[in-house]
Each structure stands twice: as structure tokens, then as C-alpha cells.
Amino acid sequence: MASKRSTLTVILALLTTVLLAGVQPAGARVVAVGERGVIALSDDGGATWRQAPCPVSVTLTMVRFADDRHGVAVGHGGTVLMTSDAGANWVVRLDGRRAAQLAKEAATTPQEQREAERLVSDGPDKPFLDVIVWDATRFLVVGAYGLAFHSSDGGTTWSPWMARLANPKSRHWYMARRAGNALWLAGEQGLLARSTDGGETFQSVASPYQGSWFAGELQGESDSGRLDPLQRRQSGDFQ
């Protein structure tokens, strides 16, 4: 059996060599996620770190918290993880196979049916890349090839939202943000969508830039939801 010292050495070596893709505060704790299913926790502002157990070994791309204890992490293989103890323990709430089956069951048009069949046949190879967290029970996860799934019961059940989003080329969604009832999604090849009713409906937004939007932040907390992408440091809605 490995000693505590040797185990600690392995953990420290892992944390210094893997890519950490997302980081968020959970109260006084800092939670970071990254390659190989690594979830790292710090309770002293990043001075020291320890690794939390993770039920998957795929790359995790983003983590967000609703409050000091309840959080969601997303990643490759259509993975969605949730925690209710500030990141100390995690459970799988969605994976790529289940997501593909849900899309197939919800498909109503020939195009939706073709896309769903492709998801099923491809297997769980598509990552989720961002997540909106309303509270401890409501989430929207988005990702590659236009994937978008919503849960309002803490991840017990999920609804595909791809049909709500005009994305005929199935381009990637890289970013999702919320301010009040305003939601913004941004992604590949200038892809932009906005909702002003909490996600019930979305409108496509003309982009001033035809490259991909990888990150951005909303300005203020009102329902106006002004988006400030990092590639275009200018406040205000897009024209």
C-alpha cells in the first residue's frame, strides 16, 4: 500500500502538469477542473491545493457554482458532474450516451432526427464547454456541435434545447452567460444567440466578427444583458 507521503507526491506532480481549464469560488474555497478528470481544491486562496475524487477521467472544461456548496462541472464525453459539498465529492448527472438518446427521443423533424441519429452513432465523443447555473437545481449546459441541454430538477432529468437555437450547421457553442432573464450564447464562426425570457425563446444575433467567440462577460446584473466578448472590448449590445 502506498504511503501518504508518496500519494501526496503523486497528487502534487499531477496538479503541476495537467491543464486546468476552469476555476470558480465556492464560498472561501477555490475549485479548479481540468485534464484527466482532475478537480483541485484550495482553502487558502491558492497557496496550497489538494485533489478531490472524481468519478470520470475525461477532461473537464468548466465549473460554476450556484452558492457556497452546489456546483456543476462539464467536460468531454458529454459529462456533467454535480456537487453539493463545495467540490469535495461529485456525481455524474449526464453523459454523452444518455444525451444522445434524449436528443433522439425529443426529435420531431427530419433534420432533428438525422442529427440525433448521428449523435447516437458517433458515441460519447462530444464535449460540453460551458454551463449556466441559475440555482442549485436549474442549469443549461452547452457545447460542441450545437449541444444544449437544460435541467430544472438538479440534473435528475434533462431536456434538449437544440431546437430552440437557430444553428443549422451545428456549430460549437463555446460560451454561455446569464444576467437576470437575459441569456447569451456565443461560439464558432461568429455564432451568437440571445434570450430575454430565461431561455424560453432565443434570437440569432448578427455578429460583427466572423471568427469564433471563445469567452466574454455580461456587463451588469439587469435583464438588458449586455455582452462584452473578450475579442471585442466594447460595451453595449451588438449592432
Side-chain angles (χ1 to χ4, degrees):
M1 180 179 295
S3 67
K4 290 184 178 180
R5 183 179 181 85
S6 63
T7 300
L8 178 60
T9 300
V10 170
I11 292 173
L12 291 176
L14 182 61
L15 292 178
T16 57
T17 57
V18 301
L19 170 68
L20 295 176
V23 60
Q24 282 280 295
R29 174 173 291 171
V30 180
V31 180
V33 301
E35 288 181 308
R36 308 176 205 170
V38 166
I39 299 174
L41 312 177
S42 177
D43 292 318
D44 54 13
T48 60
W49 294 84
R50 68 184 187 279
Q51 189 174 357
C54 179
V56 299
S57 58
V58 299
T59 293
L60 300 174
T61 56
M62 182 56 67
V63 59
R64 298 194 187 280
F65 277 80
D67 51 40
D68 291 356
R69 299 186 63 80
H70 297 88
V72 183
V74 299
H76 287 209
T79 298
V80 180
L81 307 178
M82 295 186 185
T83 180
S84 58
D85 56 10
N89 296 279
W90 297 80
V91 295
V92 178
R93 290 300 189 194
L94 187 64
D95 60 51
R97 286 188 176 87
R98 184 182 171 202
Q101 188 60 39
L102 290 171
K104 183 177 180 180
E105 293 170 359
T108 58
T109 68
Q111 180 178 351
E112 290 172 10
Q113 291 166 355
R114 287 193 297 271
E115 290 297 320
E117 289 290 352
R118 180 176 60 83
L119 289 176
V120 171
S121 62
D122 285 351
D125 64 342
K126 297 170 180 58
F128 288 122
L129 300 171
D130 207 350
V131 53
I132 290 174
V133 176
W134 278 264
D135 53 39
T137 62
R138 188 180 180 197
F139 327 103
L140 173 64
V141 296
V142 301
Y145 298 95
L147 293 180
F149 288 82
H150 175 267
S151 177
S152 58
D153 57 9
T156 301
T157 61
W158 294 87
S159 299
W161 272 20
M162 286 82 81
R164 303 189 184 199
L165 295 155
N167 186 11
K169 296 182 180 180
S170 298
R171 290 173 287 180
H172 306 331
W173 294 113
Y174 290 122
M175 187 205 79
R177 297 291 186 273
R178 180 182 73 90
N181 284 323
L183 310 182
W184 276 93
L185 305 184
E188 190 178 20
Q189 298 176 1
L191 186 63
L192 290 169
R194 183 187 183 192
S195 172
T196 58
D197 54 14
E200 291 298 320
T201 60
F202 284 86
Q203 299 79 45
S204 297
V205 178
S207 174
Y209 166 71
Q210 297 309 306
S212 294
W213 302 106
F214 292 104
E217 292 300 332
L218 289 174
Q219 301 298 307
E221 297 296 328
S222 71
D223 290 349
S224 62
R226 293 180 175 180
L227 182 67
D228 183 17
L230 297 184
Q231 292 88 337
R232 182 178 170 83
R233 280 294 188 187
Q234 176 179 327
S235 61
D237 292 331
F238 288 113
Q239 303 297 324

